[in-house]
Amino acid sequence: MELIKDLPAIFEEFSEQRKKSFMAAYECKQKGIPFIGGFCTYLPKEIPYAMGGIMVGLCSQTGETIPEAEKDLPRNLCPLIKASYGFAKTDKCPYFYFSDLIVGETTCDGKKKMYEMLGEFKNVHVIELPNRQSENGIALFRSELIRFKEVLEEQFETTITEDQIRHAIHVYNEQRKALKEFYGLQKMDPPPRGGLEIHRVLDGVQFRFDIEEATKQIRETTQRVIDEYDPEKYKGRKRILVTGSPIGVSMRKVVEAIENNGGVVVCYENCGGARSVDELVDEDNPDVYDALARRYINIPCSCMSPNPGRIKLMDRLLDEYKVDGVIEVVLQACHTFNVESYKIKKFVTEERNIPYMFMETDYSDADAGQVNTRIGAFIEML
């Protein structure tokens, strides 16, 4: 196994929080713990966890490294892809920097080609993801998960047993249950928390390395929210469901616009929210790879075609969270979500008779004023 890397030369230029993230990752590396970086909710965290590794989402939620990425990548590319590449290229993300292996997946075309370029200076393994949620697709994905397991075994000179994977499935299922209980509190009327607070927990959990301890803290947070419930705080606000692309740093300007204009985000259907944690892995399936393949391929992302699961999930969420309006936020050049927004709008407005708003944005604050104006007008109409 490769020896511990030193901290990057630019370490002293970073903010205190960035330094803390680097040091937390550095301490794990000092202990010889395998560090696996990933991008997408389609990547089963259970397999790296089974060998005692750390699986972490890679930094692609801010636009600070996009100018550097655009020296190699097209300017009219999705900001999430450019940010991902930029953080890897500049060593400004501790998780990119310390990753022994970066794992990609064949979701959108932009990411697939970016992984080729990333592989020129990082250790990258790409998992082939089928385009259809069919039995043939499940069989393909199952074989890819076995191949991923073998790659980990070879690189880290270890053996990953099915019993270890089964234990990991249970550990992550418990965390999914805890997260569903936490964000499910927003079903209350009025909801107990604002959208930014909910998102902070959903996003932050992927950067906690002790999974079981993190699950315990999520449950403690859930109980604290219940104990501190103030029914007057969000009383009378319009209940908004946010859907669309994984929108990273744009989340703040969108949610702030919603909650500064009389609304409150009660549900996130997008990546990082219900879409990625709603379904559990079948712990009774005797084939652990089949169980993982079926659960993960069922995630209703727009890269799947057709994608009926997203409509089915949203139909249930609209009822459970008593939604007054749906705001779909799509990143520029995110073609699959942009095209699929036609079906989402049609379902929400024609079948469910609920107001819908579409918004295309990027990682900059250049359109923050326009975002606030448009969302304010939408909520006023509800």
Side-chain angles (χ1 to χ4, degrees):
M1 188 182 299
E2 184 181 354
L3 295 176
I4 304 305
K5 303 169 186 174
D6 293 327
L7 292 171
I10 55 176
F11 176 72
E12 290 304 324
E13 301 176 18
F14 291 161
S15 67
E16 193 61 32
Q17 185 56 49
R18 184 77 62 82
K19 287 182 181 181
K20 288 179 180 178
S21 296
F22 261 108
M23 292 311 301
Y26 182 72
E27 289 170 6
C28 291
K29 296 294 296 177
Q30 291 278 42
K31 298 174 184 177
I33 299 174
F35 218 79
I36 314 298
F39 296 91
C40 183
T41 55
Y42 278 113
L43 175 61
K45 299 178 180 180
E46 288 87 346
I47 298 178
Y49 182 87
M51 72 167 185
I54 288 173
M55 181 75 226
V56 65
L58 294 175
C59 307
S60 56
Q61 297 193 359
T62 71
E64 65 179 285
T65 64
I66 286 179
E68 187 64 33
E70 287 178 341
K71 293 178 181 179
D72 301 337
L73 296 172
R75 292 178 60 87
N76 63 342
L77 189 63
C78 165
L80 185 149
I81 298 172
K82 291 189 289 186
S84 297
Y85 182 84
F87 272 109
K89 183 181 178 182
T90 60
D91 281 334
K92 287 190 174 183
C93 169
Y95 310 119
F96 265 115
Y97 185 78
F98 284 115
S99 289
D100 300 295
L101 178 67
I102 292 174
V103 185
E105 72 304 313
T106 55
T107 48
C108 74
D109 292 339
K111 287 172 76 175
K112 287 188 287 189
K113 302 309 291 185
M114 183 270 286
Y115 294 147
E116 292 182 23
M117 299 170 64
L118 193 60
E120 295 180 2
F121 56 92
K122 294 289 185 182
N123 183 19
V124 177
H125 172 73
V126 178
I127 293 177
E128 185 173 351
L129 183 73
N131 295 317
R132 299 175 68 87
Q133 296 160 323
S134 63
E135 287 299 318
N136 286 341
I138 291 169
L140 168 63
F141 197 44
R142 179 185 178 279
S143 68
E144 283 293 289
L145 298 186
I146 293 174
R147 187 167 71 93
F148 175 44
K149 187 264 299 188
E150 292 170 347
V151 167
L152 294 177
E153 289 178 323
E154 180 179 357
Q155 175 164 340
F156 298 102
E157 300 178 351
T158 188
T159 298
I160 303 173
T161 68
E162 292 191 9
D163 284 343
Q164 289 172 322
I165 295 175
R166 199 173 299 283
H167 172 69
I169 287 172
H170 176 73
V171 169
Y172 273 100
N173 269 349
E174 289 302 304
Q175 184 165 99
R176 292 182 187 106
K177 291 176 187 176
L179 285 169
K180 288 176 69 174
E181 289 169 4
F182 171 72
Y183 71 71
L185 294 177
Q186 294 295 90
K187 296 175 185 177
M188 299 168 68
D189 192 9
R193 285 290 190 267
L196 283 178
E197 295 174 273
I198 298 298
H199 184 263
R200 197 172 294 122
V201 174
L202 295 176
D203 184 60
V205 71
Q206 65 178 311
F207 302 108
R208 301 300 303 274
F209 301 152
D210 187 331
I211 305 304
E212 293 179 276
E213 178 61 25
T215 299
K216 177 184 174 184
Q217 291 180 0
I218 294 166
R219 290 193 167 118
E220 290 172 351
T221 301
T222 300
Q223 187 57 52
R224 187 164 64 250
V225 171
I226 293 171
D227 294 340
E228 297 173 356
Y229 179 55
D230 177 4
E232 296 299 317
K233 189 170 182 180
Y234 294 101
K235 185 177 181 180
R237 288 175 174 258
K238 298 301 182 182
R239 303 170 64 89
I240 305 298
L241 179 146
V242 173
T243 185
S245 305
I247 55 178
V249 71
S250 299
M251 181 69 70
R252 176 170 290 277
K253 66 183 174 185
V254 171
V255 176
E256 285 184 346
I258 292 169
E259 300 187 348
N260 288 339
N261 286 283
V264 59
V265 177
V266 292
C267 183
Y268 294 101
E269 186 274 331
N270 51 7
C271 296
R275 187 185 302 155
S276 58
V277 299
D278 186 71
E279 187 173 329
L280 303 179
V281 180
D282 182 6
E283 296 185 39
D284 295 324
N285 189 329
D287 184 339
V288 293
Y289 301 106
D290 181 74
L292 288 171
R294 289 181 183 278
R295 186 270 170 190
Y296 278 90
I297 205 175
N298 237 16
I299 294 173
C301 174
S302 63
C303 68
M304 290 293 168
S305 185
N307 186 27
R310 188 176 175 203
I311 298 292
K312 183 178 178 181
L313 174 61
M314 188 171 294
D315 191 33
R316 174 162 59 82
L317 296 176
L318 292 174
D319 288 331
E320 291 180 356
Y321 290 86
K322 306 179 185 69
V323 172
D324 296 311
V326 172
I327 296 180
E328 179 154 24
V329 186
V330 174
L331 292 174
Q332 290 177 359
C334 184
H335 301 311
T336 57
F337 277 104
N338 213 334
V339 173
E340 194 168 271
S341 65
Y342 168 81
K343 286 189 175 181
I344 298 301
K345 177 181 180 180
K346 189 174 182 179
F347 167 73
V348 172
T349 59
E350 296 182 14
E351 294 189 35
R352 295 304 311 269
N353 198 30
I354 293 174
Y356 165 95
M357 174 184 173
F358 174 86
M359 176 173 294
E360 187 176 38
T361 189
D362 61 13
Y363 279 5
S364 76
D365 287 326
D367 62 347
Q370 181 188 38
V371 167
N372 186 71
T373 300
R374 290 189 59 205
I375 288 178
F378 176 74
I379 292 175
E380 186 177 353
M381 177 217 35
L382 296 179

